[in-house]
Amino acid sequence: FFLSHLQRNMGPDQYTHTKKMGTLPTKQEAEGHADWKDAEHRMGTSIMAVQFKGGVVLGADSRTTTGSYIANRVSDKLTSVHDRIYCCRSGSAADTQAVSDIVRYYLDVHSAQMGEAPEVHTAATFFQKLCYDNKNALSAGIIVGGWDKHDGGSVYCIPLGGALVRQPFAIGGSGSTFIYGYCDANFKEDMTRDECHEFVRNALSLAMARDGSSGGIIRTAIIDENGVERFMLPGNQLPTFYEN
C-alpha cells in the first residue's frame, strides 16, 4: 500500500529515485537533484610551477569539488610521473589521474629503453600528445615541472586543448585568474630556492583567498639535482596580506 501510494502521488522519476535509495525525496530533490549528486569530480584549482636557479618549485591548493560540494579538502594535486618529474593537475580528477598514470607508464618504458632518466621535455610531450589527441573527450590542464641533466630545471604548460609551451613559470586552474598581475610583478629570473618557494606560497595563498573553488592547504615540491622535497603548509598558517 505504501509503495503504491507513493507511485500514485509522485512522478515516475521521483518514484524510481525513492525506490532505489529507500528514502523519501527531500523538497530540494523533488524540485531537482542537487548538483553535487551527479556532477563530475573536479578540481577547481590553483596550481603553479616556477623555475629557479638549479631546479623548480611546484605548488597547488588541495580543494576538490563535486559541483558546489567540497568532496576532498586535502587532495594531492602534485603527481609524480618519474623520479625528478612531477605534474600539477587541474580539470577533471578522473581525466588527469588517468593521463598521469599513462604518462608514468610511458616514462618507465622509455627510461628502460634509453638506459637513463627521461628529460622533462619528454614527459611534457607525452602529456601533450595524450591531451591533444583526446581534446574533445578530456578536461585536463597540466603543468609539468622537473629536473634533468640536459636542461636542469624546466617548466612546461599544457592547457586545455593540448598546446605545449615552455615557460619560466606557469599558473593554471580557476584561481590563476586572480594572480596573473601578482606573478608578473614579482617573478624574477634566477631566484634562489627559498625565494622561489616563498613566491609560490604567496601566489597560491592569494589565489585561494579570492577563488571559491580553491582552498585547504598548500602542497609544494622542490625538485633539483638532489631529488624531490615535499612540503605542506596548513590552512591556518597561510601567508596573509591586507588581512593583517
Side-chain angles (χ1 to χ4, degrees):
F1 169 79
F2 180 69
L3 290 179
S4 62
H5 174 75
L6 283 178
Q7 198 167 13
R8 285 197 305 270
N9 290 279
M10 299 171 66
D13 293 339
Q14 292 174 298
Y15 175 73
T16 302
H17 174 73
T18 303
K19 187 176 179 182
K20 286 180 180 179
M21 299 299 291
T23 58
L24 289 171
T26 64
K27 180 180 179 182
Q28 289 81 4
E29 290 170 339
E31 293 173 352
H33 291 307
D35 63 346
W36 56 267
K37 294 200 170 186
D38 303 311
E40 188 176 11
H41 210 55
R42 300 184 66 86
M43 293 186 292
T45 297
S46 298
I47 57 174
M48 70 183 301
V50 185
Q51 180 180 326
F52 68 90
K53 192 172 184 179
V56 296
V57 177
L58 295 88
D61 75 308
S62 64
R63 179 172 292 178
T64 299
T65 58
T66 305
S68 58
Y69 177 76
I70 299 174
N72 188 346
R73 59 194 177 95
V74 288
S75 57
D76 189 357
K77 303 174 186 179
L78 307 181
T79 301
S80 171
V81 292
H82 207 266
D83 294 344
R84 291 182 177 83
I85 306 174
Y86 270 65
C87 72
C88 305
R89 301 179 293 112
S90 67
S92 164
D95 290 352
T96 56
Q97 285 171 5
V99 170
S100 60
D101 285 345
I102 294 169
V103 170
R104 185 183 302 111
Y105 168 74
Y106 283 167
L107 289 176
D108 286 343
V109 173
H110 176 78
S111 178
Q113 290 176 338
M114 300 298 292
E116 62 179 17
E119 299 177 21
V120 180
H121 181 262
T122 301
T125 302
F126 282 145
F127 273 108
Q128 187 267 341
K129 174 72 172 170
L130 287 167
C131 291
Y132 181 78
D133 288 349
N134 301 280
K135 60 181 177 291
N136 293 323
L138 295 177
S139 175
I142 307 288
I143 297 174
V144 180
W147 183 93
D148 62 66
K149 65 180 183 181
H150 301 285
D151 297 324
S154 55
V155 172
Y156 294 86
C157 182
I158 302 104
L160 294 175
L164 175 61
V165 185
R166 181 174 179 179
Q167 299 174 295
F169 75 90
I171 57 178
S174 55
S176 66
T177 57
F178 298 96
I179 58 171
Y180 274 99
Y182 175 84
C183 291
D184 287 341
N186 290 276
F187 172 77
K188 299 181 296 183
E189 292 189 356
D190 295 330
M191 284 187 285
T192 66
R193 170 190 168 110
D194 291 339
E195 286 175 339
C196 190
H197 197 196
E198 182 182 11
F199 171 63
V200 170
R201 283 181 164 181
N202 286 343
L204 289 174
S205 179
L206 286 166
M208 292 160 65
R210 294 290 183 183
D211 179 32
S213 296
S214 301
I217 63 177
I218 293 177
R219 298 185 188 273
T220 52
I222 301 178
I223 308 174
D224 57 21
E225 185 178 4
N226 299 318
V228 182
E229 192 172 359
R230 296 288 306 262
F231 298 89
M232 186 275 290
L233 188 64
N236 62 348
Q237 298 178 21
L238 299 181
T240 55
F241 297 88
Y242 76 90
E243 293 96 331
N244 291 333

